[in-house]
């Protein structure tokens, strides 16, 4: 019985660890402003058809098409300031048929220039946003 419990515990640890590994290495190498849900790019900024916005007071990052038919936004509890920081917030994004919103905790993976790489392993939400001030 003790061996079974150890195997179950080890399996749970491995499953939890694997969940974090769904963030691809290429995510960190790509500085394109975007949101990825469960490993798929759901929305990416395109300078010809999109706009970016940042509101420091509201701690909100927004990216949307020119007609606002598709978008994503991150409204955070704090402005990210250093790698390793944990920041809670709400991610909102569109798909073909719906608008989704998820409250989660993000880890700040990287800050470079004005860009911030964020990752929620719990919900498998990854985003690159830009501080525009």
């Amino acid at each position: 019985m003790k061996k079974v419990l150890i195997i179950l515990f080890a399996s749970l640890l491995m499953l939890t660890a694997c969940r974090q590994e769904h963030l691809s290495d290429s995510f960190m190498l790509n500085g394109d402003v975007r949101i990825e849900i469960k490993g798929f790019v759901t929305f990416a900024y395109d300078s010809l058809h999109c706009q970016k916005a940042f509101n420091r007071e509201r701690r909100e990052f927004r990216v949307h098409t020119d007609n606002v038919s598709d978008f994503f936004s991150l409204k955070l509890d704090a402005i990210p300031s250093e790698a390793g920081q944990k920041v809670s917030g709400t991610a909102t994004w569109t798909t073909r048929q719906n608008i989704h919103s998820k409250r989660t905790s993000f880890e700040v993976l990287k800050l470079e220039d004005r860009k911030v790489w964020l990752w929620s392993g719990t919900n498998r939400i990854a985003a690159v946003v830009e501080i525009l001030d």
Side-chain angles (χ1 to χ4, degrees):
M1 181 67 175
K2 187 175 180 180
K3 285 183 181 182
V4 172
L5 288 175
I6 292 171
I7 290 170
L8 279 173
F9 183 71
S11 297
L12 285 173
L13 283 176
M14 288 173 39
L15 286 173
T16 304
C18 289
R19 196 173 187 126
Q20 283 286 89
E21 293 175 13
H22 282 80
L23 183 64
S24 68
D25 292 335
S26 62
F27 175 77
M28 295 296 291
L29 300 174
N30 184 340
D32 294 345
V33 172
R34 68 196 183 282
I35 190 167
E36 296 182 14
I37 309 297
K38 298 181 181 175
F40 297 98
V41 176
T42 304
F43 189 87
Y45 172 75
D46 168 9
S47 62
L48 296 176
H49 303 103
C50 297
Q51 297 179 32
K52 296 182 275 189
F54 170 68
N55 184 309
R56 184 171 287 280
E57 282 182 31
R58 294 179 59 182
R59 299 166 309 280
E60 184 175 19
F61 301 87
R62 291 185 318 275
V63 181
H64 54 81
T65 55
D66 288 336
N67 66 2
V68 196
S69 61
D70 293 304
F71 67 90
F72 82 87
S73 72
L74 295 179
K75 188 167 185 180
L76 304 175
D77 294 347
I79 301 296
S81 58
E82 62 184 348
Q85 179 183 7
K86 303 285 187 192
V87 180
S88 293
T90 301
T92 305
W93 67 95
T94 56
T95 59
R96 288 184 179 175
Q97 299 166 342
N98 293 312
I99 297 174
H100 302 272
S101 189
K102 191 71 166 175
R103 177 90 179 148
T104 192
S105 178
F106 292 97
E107 179 181 355
V108 178
L109 298 177
K110 178 177 169 182
L111 290 113
E112 187 173 282
D113 298 323
R114 300 180 318 186
K115 292 188 178 170
V116 182
W117 283 253
L118 299 163
W119 169 241
S120 169
T122 305
N123 294 292
R124 295 179 50 208
I125 300 172
V128 178
V129 294
E130 189 169 358
I131 298 173
L132 300 170
D133 39 40

Short mmCIF file of all heavy atoms in Angstrom, two decimals, residues 1-47:
data_model
loop_
_atom_site.label_atom_id
_atom_site.label_comp_id
_atom_site.label_asym_id
_atom_site.label_seq_id
_atom_site.Cartn_x
_atom_site.Cartn_y
_atom_site.Cartn_z
N MET A 1 0.82 -1.20 0.00
CA MET A 1 0.00 0.00 0.00
C MET A 1 0.86 1.26 0.00
O MET A 1 0.55 2.23 -0.67
CB MET A 1 -0.92 -0.04 1.23
CG MET A 1 -1.84 1.14 1.34
SD MET A 1 -3.02 1.09 -0.01
CE MET A 1 -4.03 2.44 0.41
N LYS A 2 1.95 1.22 0.75
CA LYS A 2 2.84 2.37 0.84
C LYS A 2 3.47 2.66 -0.53
O LYS A 2 3.58 3.81 -0.93
CB LYS A 2 3.92 2.09 1.90
CG LYS A 2 4.79 3.28 2.20
CD LYS A 2 5.74 2.98 3.33
CE LYS A 2 6.60 4.18 3.63
NZ LYS A 2 7.52 3.93 4.73
N LYS A 3 3.84 1.60 -1.26
CA LYS A 3 4.43 1.79 -2.59
C LYS A 3 3.42 2.41 -3.56
O LYS A 3 3.77 3.25 -4.36
CB LYS A 3 4.92 0.45 -3.15
CG LYS A 3 6.19 -0.03 -2.50
CD LYS A 3 6.66 -1.31 -3.16
CE LYS A 3 7.94 -1.79 -2.49
NZ LYS A 3 8.48 -2.99 -3.10
N VAL A 4 2.17 1.99 -3.44
CA VAL A 4 1.13 2.54 -4.30
C VAL A 4 0.96 4.04 -4.04
O VAL A 4 0.84 4.83 -4.97
CB VAL A 4 -0.21 1.79 -4.09
CG1 VAL A 4 -1.35 2.48 -4.83
CG2 VAL A 4 -0.08 0.35 -4.54
N LEU A 5 0.94 4.44 -2.79
CA LEU A 5 0.82 5.85 -2.45
C LEU A 5 2.01 6.66 -2.96
O LEU A 5 1.84 7.77 -3.46
CB LEU A 5 0.67 6.03 -0.94
CG LEU A 5 -0.68 5.60 -0.35
CD1 LEU A 5 -0.66 5.69 1.16
CD2 LEU A 5 -1.78 6.46 -0.92
N ILE A 6 3.20 6.09 -2.85
CA ILE A 6 4.40 6.79 -3.35
C ILE A 6 4.31 6.95 -4.86
O ILE A 6 4.60 8.03 -5.40
CB ILE A 6 5.67 6.03 -2.93
CG1 ILE A 6 5.86 6.14 -1.41
CG2 ILE A 6 6.89 6.56 -3.67
CD1 ILE A 6 6.97 5.27 -0.85
N ILE A 7 3.89 5.91 -5.55
CA ILE A 7 3.77 5.98 -7.01
C ILE A 7 2.70 7.01 -7.40
O ILE A 7 2.90 7.81 -8.31
CB ILE A 7 3.45 4.58 -7.60
CG1 ILE A 7 4.67 3.68 -7.45
CG2 ILE A 7 3.02 4.69 -9.07
CD1 ILE A 7 4.42 2.22 -7.78
N LEU A 8 1.57 7.00 -6.70
CA LEU A 8 0.52 8.00 -6.98
C LEU A 8 1.01 9.42 -6.75
O LEU A 8 0.78 10.31 -7.56
CB LEU A 8 -0.71 7.74 -6.11
CG LEU A 8 -1.67 6.66 -6.60
CD1 LEU A 8 -2.74 6.40 -5.56
CD2 LEU A 8 -2.30 7.08 -7.91
N PHE A 9 1.70 9.64 -5.65
CA PHE A 9 2.24 10.96 -5.33
C PHE A 9 3.26 11.40 -6.39
O PHE A 9 3.21 12.52 -6.88
CB PHE A 9 2.88 10.96 -3.94
CG PHE A 9 3.39 12.30 -3.53
CD1 PHE A 9 2.53 13.33 -3.21
CD2 PHE A 9 4.76 12.54 -3.47
CE1 PHE A 9 2.99 14.57 -2.84
CE2 PHE A 9 5.24 13.78 -3.11
CZ PHE A 9 4.36 14.81 -2.79
N ALA A 10 4.15 10.50 -6.78
CA ALA A 10 5.15 10.82 -7.80
C ALA A 10 4.47 11.12 -9.13
O ALA A 10 4.87 12.04 -9.86
CB ALA A 10 6.13 9.67 -7.95
N SER A 11 3.43 10.38 -9.47
CA SER A 11 2.70 10.62 -10.72
C SER A 11 2.03 12.00 -10.71
O SER A 11 2.06 12.71 -11.71
CB SER A 11 1.63 9.55 -10.93
OG SER A 11 2.22 8.28 -11.05
N LEU A 12 1.45 12.36 -9.58
CA LEU A 12 0.84 13.69 -9.48
C LEU A 12 1.87 14.79 -9.63
O LEU A 12 1.63 15.81 -10.28
CB LEU A 12 0.10 13.84 -8.15
CG LEU A 12 -1.23 13.10 -8.04
CD1 LEU A 12 -1.77 13.18 -6.62
CD2 LEU A 12 -2.23 13.68 -9.02
N LEU A 13 3.03 14.62 -9.03
CA LEU A 13 4.10 15.60 -9.17
C LEU A 13 4.54 15.73 -10.62
O LEU A 13 4.78 16.83 -11.12
CB LEU A 13 5.29 15.23 -8.29
CG LEU A 13 5.16 15.53 -6.81
CD1 LEU A 13 6.38 15.02 -6.05
CD2 LEU A 13 4.98 17.01 -6.57
N MET A 14 4.66 14.61 -11.30
CA MET A 14 5.07 14.63 -12.71
C MET A 14 4.02 15.32 -13.57
O MET A 14 4.36 16.10 -14.46
CB MET A 14 5.34 13.21 -13.21
CG MET A 14 6.61 12.62 -12.64
SD MET A 14 6.91 10.89 -13.02
CE MET A 14 6.40 10.70 -14.67
N LEU A 15 2.75 15.05 -13.31
CA LEU A 15 1.69 15.71 -14.07
C LEU A 15 1.71 17.22 -13.87
O LEU A 15 1.54 18.00 -14.80
CB LEU A 15 0.32 15.15 -13.69
CG LEU A 15 -0.01 13.77 -14.22
CD1 LEU A 15 -1.32 13.27 -13.62
CD2 LEU A 15 -0.10 13.78 -15.74
N THR A 16 1.92 17.64 -12.65
CA THR A 16 2.00 19.07 -12.34
C THR A 16 3.20 19.69 -13.04
O THR A 16 3.11 20.77 -13.62
CB THR A 16 2.09 19.29 -10.83
OG1 THR A 16 0.98 18.66 -10.22
CG2 THR A 16 2.09 20.76 -10.49
N ALA A 17 4.33 19.01 -13.01
CA ALA A 17 5.54 19.53 -13.65
C ALA A 17 5.35 19.60 -15.16
O ALA A 17 5.77 20.56 -15.80
CB ALA A 17 6.74 18.66 -13.31
N CYS A 18 4.71 18.62 -15.74
CA CYS A 18 4.49 18.61 -17.19
C CYS A 18 3.61 19.77 -17.62
O CYS A 18 3.76 20.31 -18.70
CB CYS A 18 3.86 17.30 -17.63
SG CYS A 18 4.99 15.91 -17.55
N ARG A 19 2.69 20.14 -16.77
CA ARG A 19 1.79 21.24 -17.10
C ARG A 19 2.59 22.52 -17.39
O ARG A 19 2.29 23.27 -18.29
CB ARG A 19 0.82 21.44 -15.95
CG ARG A 19 -0.34 22.26 -16.30
CD ARG A 19 -1.35 22.27 -15.16
NE ARG A 19 -2.50 22.96 -15.65
CZ ARG A 19 -3.71 22.47 -15.64
NH1 ARG A 19 -3.95 21.32 -15.11
NH2 ARG A 19 -4.69 23.17 -16.12
N GLN A 20 3.62 22.78 -16.60
CA GLN A 20 4.47 23.95 -16.80
C GLN A 20 5.24 23.86 -18.11
O GLN A 20 5.52 24.86 -18.72
CB GLN A 20 5.47 24.07 -15.65
CG GLN A 20 4.89 24.62 -14.37
CD GLN A 20 4.63 26.10 -14.46
OE1 GLN A 20 3.56 26.51 -14.87
NE2 GLN A 20 5.57 26.89 -14.08
N GLU A 21 5.59 22.66 -18.54
CA GLU A 21 6.42 22.49 -19.72
C GLU A 21 5.68 22.75 -21.02
O GLU A 21 6.28 22.70 -22.09
CB GLU A 21 7.02 21.08 -19.73
CG GLU A 21 8.02 20.89 -18.61
CD GLU A 21 8.53 19.47 -18.51
OE1 GLU A 21 8.30 18.68 -19.46
OE2 GLU A 21 9.15 19.16 -17.50
N HIS A 22 4.39 23.00 -20.99
CA HIS A 22 3.65 23.27 -22.21
C HIS A 22 4.02 24.63 -22.81
O HIS A 22 3.62 24.94 -23.91
CB HIS A 22 2.15 23.18 -21.97
CG HIS A 22 1.66 21.78 -21.92
ND1 HIS A 22 1.78 20.99 -20.81
CD2 HIS A 22 1.08 21.01 -22.87
CE1 HIS A 22 1.28 19.81 -21.05
NE2 HIS A 22 0.85 19.78 -22.30
N LEU A 23 4.76 25.42 -22.10
CA LEU A 23 5.24 26.70 -22.63
C LEU A 23 6.44 26.39 -23.52
O LEU A 23 7.45 25.86 -23.05
CB LEU A 23 5.63 27.64 -21.49
CG LEU A 23 6.10 29.02 -21.91
CD1 LEU A 23 4.95 29.77 -22.60
CD2 LEU A 23 6.57 29.80 -20.72
N SER A 24 6.33 26.68 -24.78
CA SER A 24 7.39 26.33 -25.72
C SER A 24 8.60 27.26 -25.56
O SER A 24 8.47 28.41 -25.14
CB SER A 24 6.88 26.41 -27.16
OG SER A 24 6.60 27.76 -27.49
N ASP A 25 9.75 26.74 -25.90
CA ASP A 25 10.97 27.55 -25.87
C ASP A 25 10.87 28.73 -26.83
O ASP A 25 11.40 29.80 -26.57
CB ASP A 25 12.19 26.70 -26.24
CG ASP A 25 12.49 25.64 -25.19
OD1 ASP A 25 12.11 25.85 -24.01
OD2 ASP A 25 13.11 24.63 -25.54
N SER A 26 10.17 28.53 -27.93
CA SER A 26 10.06 29.61 -28.92
C SER A 26 9.29 30.81 -28.38
O SER A 26 9.47 31.92 -28.84
CB SER A 26 9.41 29.09 -30.20
OG SER A 26 8.09 28.65 -29.94
N PHE A 27 8.43 30.58 -27.38
CA PHE A 27 7.68 31.69 -26.80
C PHE A 27 8.63 32.74 -26.24
O PHE A 27 8.44 33.94 -26.44
CB PHE A 27 6.74 31.19 -25.69
CG PHE A 27 6.04 32.32 -24.97
CD1 PHE A 27 4.97 32.97 -25.56
CD2 PHE A 27 6.47 32.74 -23.73
CE1 PHE A 27 4.34 34.03 -24.91
CE2 PHE A 27 5.85 33.78 -23.07
CZ PHE A 27 4.78 34.42 -23.67
N MET A 28 9.66 32.31 -25.56
CA MET A 28 10.61 33.24 -24.94
C MET A 28 11.49 33.96 -25.98
O MET A 28 11.97 35.05 -25.74
CB MET A 28 11.51 32.50 -23.95
CG MET A 28 10.75 31.95 -22.76
SD MET A 28 10.01 33.24 -21.76
CE MET A 28 11.46 33.99 -21.07
N LEU A 29 11.68 33.34 -27.13
CA LEU A 29 12.54 33.93 -28.16
C LEU A 29 11.80 34.90 -29.07
O LEU A 29 12.43 35.65 -29.79
CB LEU A 29 13.16 32.80 -29.00
CG LEU A 29 14.02 31.81 -28.23
CD1 LEU A 29 14.45 30.66 -29.13
CD2 LEU A 29 15.23 32.51 -27.62
N ASN A 30 10.49 34.88 -29.02
CA ASN A 30 9.68 35.69 -29.91
C ASN A 30 9.11 36.88 -29.13
O ASN A 30 8.39 36.70 -28.17
CB ASN A 30 8.55 34.82 -30.48
CG ASN A 30 7.72 35.54 -31.50
OD1 ASN A 30 7.69 36.76 -31.57
ND2 ASN A 30 7.00 34.78 -32.30
N GLY A 31 9.42 38.08 -29.58
CA GLY A 31 8.96 39.28 -28.90
C GLY A 31 7.70 39.87 -29.48
O GLY A 31 7.32 40.99 -29.14
N ASP A 32 7.02 39.12 -30.37
CA ASP A 32 5.77 39.63 -30.94
C ASP A 32 4.72 39.75 -29.85
O ASP A 32 4.53 38.83 -29.06
CB ASP A 32 5.25 38.70 -32.03
CG ASP A 32 6.16 38.66 -33.25
OD1 ASP A 32 7.04 39.54 -33.39
OD2 ASP A 32 6.00 37.73 -34.06
N VAL A 33 4.01 40.87 -29.84
CA VAL A 33 2.93 41.08 -28.88
C VAL A 33 1.80 40.13 -29.28
O VAL A 33 1.32 40.15 -30.41
CB VAL A 33 2.46 42.55 -28.89
CG1 VAL A 33 1.22 42.74 -28.05
CG2 VAL A 33 3.60 43.45 -28.41
N ARG A 34 1.38 39.26 -28.30
CA ARG A 34 0.39 38.24 -28.62
C ARG A 34 -0.11 37.58 -27.35
O ARG A 34 0.47 37.77 -26.28
CB ARG A 34 0.98 37.18 -29.53
CG ARG A 34 2.05 36.33 -28.85
CD ARG A 34 2.89 35.55 -29.84
NE ARG A 34 3.85 34.69 -29.22
CZ ARG A 34 5.01 35.06 -28.69
NH1 ARG A 34 5.34 36.34 -28.68
NH2 ARG A 34 5.83 34.19 -28.16
N ILE A 35 -1.15 36.76 -27.51
CA ILE A 35 -1.62 35.90 -26.43
C ILE A 35 -1.73 34.49 -26.98
O ILE A 35 -2.18 34.29 -28.11
CB ILE A 35 -2.96 36.39 -25.82
CG1 ILE A 35 -3.29 35.60 -24.55
CG2 ILE A 35 -4.09 36.32 -26.84
CD1 ILE A 35 -4.41 36.20 -23.72
N GLU A 36 -1.27 33.53 -26.18
CA GLU A 36 -1.36 32.12 -26.53
C GLU A 36 -2.18 31.42 -25.46
O GLU A 36 -1.94 31.61 -24.26
CB GLU A 36 0.03 31.47 -26.60
CG GLU A 36 0.91 32.04 -27.68
CD GLU A 36 2.27 31.36 -27.77
OE1 GLU A 36 2.45 30.26 -27.19
OE2 GLU A 36 3.15 31.92 -28.43
N ILE A 37 -3.13 30.63 -25.90
CA ILE A 37 -3.96 29.85 -24.99
C ILE A 37 -3.69 28.38 -25.27
O ILE A 37 -3.87 27.92 -26.40
CB ILE A 37 -5.46 30.15 -25.18
CG1 ILE A 37 -5.74 31.67 -25.16
CG2 ILE A 37 -6.30 29.40 -24.17
CD1 ILE A 37 -5.43 32.36 -23.84
N LYS A 38 -3.22 27.68 -24.26
CA LYS A 38 -2.91 26.25 -24.37
C LYS A 38 -2.01 25.94 -25.56
O LYS A 38 -2.20 24.97 -26.28
CB LYS A 38 -4.20 25.44 -24.43
CG LYS A 38 -5.03 25.59 -23.17
CD LYS A 38 -6.29 24.78 -23.20
CE LYS A 38 -7.04 25.02 -21.90
NZ LYS A 38 -8.33 24.38 -21.87
N GLY A 39 -1.02 26.81 -25.78
CA GLY A 39 -0.02 26.58 -26.81
C GLY A 39 -0.36 27.09 -28.19
O GLY A 39 0.45 26.99 -29.11
N PHE A 40 -1.54 27.65 -28.37
CA PHE A 40 -1.94 28.17 -29.68
C PHE A 40 -2.05 29.69 -29.64
O PHE A 40 -2.65 30.25 -28.72
CB PHE A 40 -3.29 27.58 -30.10
CG PHE A 40 -3.26 26.10 -30.28
CD1 PHE A 40 -3.70 25.26 -29.26
CD2 PHE A 40 -2.77 25.53 -31.45
CE1 PHE A 40 -3.66 23.89 -29.41
CE2 PHE A 40 -2.72 24.16 -31.61
CZ PHE A 40 -3.16 23.33 -30.59
N VAL A 41 -1.48 30.34 -30.64
CA VAL A 41 -1.59 31.80 -30.73
C VAL A 41 -3.04 32.13 -31.03
O VAL A 41 -3.57 31.78 -32.08
CB VAL A 41 -0.66 32.38 -31.81
CG1 VAL A 41 -0.87 33.89 -31.95
CG2 VAL A 41 0.80 32.08 -31.49
N THR A 42 -3.69 32.79 -30.10
CA THR A 42 -5.09 33.14 -30.23
C THR A 42 -5.26 34.50 -30.90
O THR A 42 -6.17 34.71 -31.68
CB THR A 42 -5.76 33.15 -28.84
OG1 THR A 42 -5.55 31.87 -28.25
CG2 THR A 42 -7.23 33.41 -28.93
N PHE A 43 -4.34 35.42 -30.57
CA PHE A 43 -4.38 36.73 -31.19
C PHE A 43 -2.97 37.31 -31.18
O PHE A 43 -2.30 37.25 -30.16
CB PHE A 43 -5.33 37.68 -30.44
CG PHE A 43 -5.56 38.98 -31.16
CD1 PHE A 43 -6.56 39.09 -32.11
CD2 PHE A 43 -4.77 40.08 -30.91
CE1 PHE A 43 -6.77 40.28 -32.78
CE2 PHE A 43 -4.97 41.28 -31.59
CZ PHE A 43 -5.97 41.38 -32.53
N ALA A 44 -2.55 37.86 -32.30
CA ALA A 44 -1.23 38.48 -32.41
C ALA A 44 -1.37 39.87 -33.03
O ALA A 44 -2.17 40.07 -33.95
CB ALA A 44 -0.29 37.62 -33.25
N TYR A 45 -0.58 40.79 -32.52
CA TYR A 45 -0.58 42.16 -33.03
C TYR A 45 0.00 42.18 -34.44
O TYR A 45 1.03 41.59 -34.73
CB TYR A 45 0.26 43.04 -32.11
CG TYR A 45 0.48 44.43 -32.64
CD1 TYR A 45 -0.55 45.37 -32.62
CD2 TYR A 45 1.71 44.79 -33.18
CE1 TYR A 45 -0.35 46.65 -33.11
CE2 TYR A 45 1.92 46.07 -33.67
CZ TYR A 45 0.89 46.99 -33.64
OH TYR A 45 1.08 48.25 -34.14
N ASP A 46 -0.69 42.89 -35.33
CA ASP A 46 -0.26 43.11 -36.71
C ASP A 46 -0.34 44.62 -36.94
O ASP A 46 -1.44 45.20 -36.88
CB ASP A 46 -1.18 42.34 -37.66
CG ASP A 46 -1.02 42.71 -39.12
OD1 ASP A 46 -0.08 43.47 -39.46
OD2 ASP A 46 -1.84 42.25 -39.92
N SER A 47 0.80 45.26 -37.18
CA SER A 47 0.83 46.72 -37.27
C SER A 47 -0.05 47.29 -38.38
O SER A 47 -0.45 48.45 -38.32
CB SER A 47 2.27 47.21 -37.43
OG SER A 47 2.81 46.72 -38.64
#
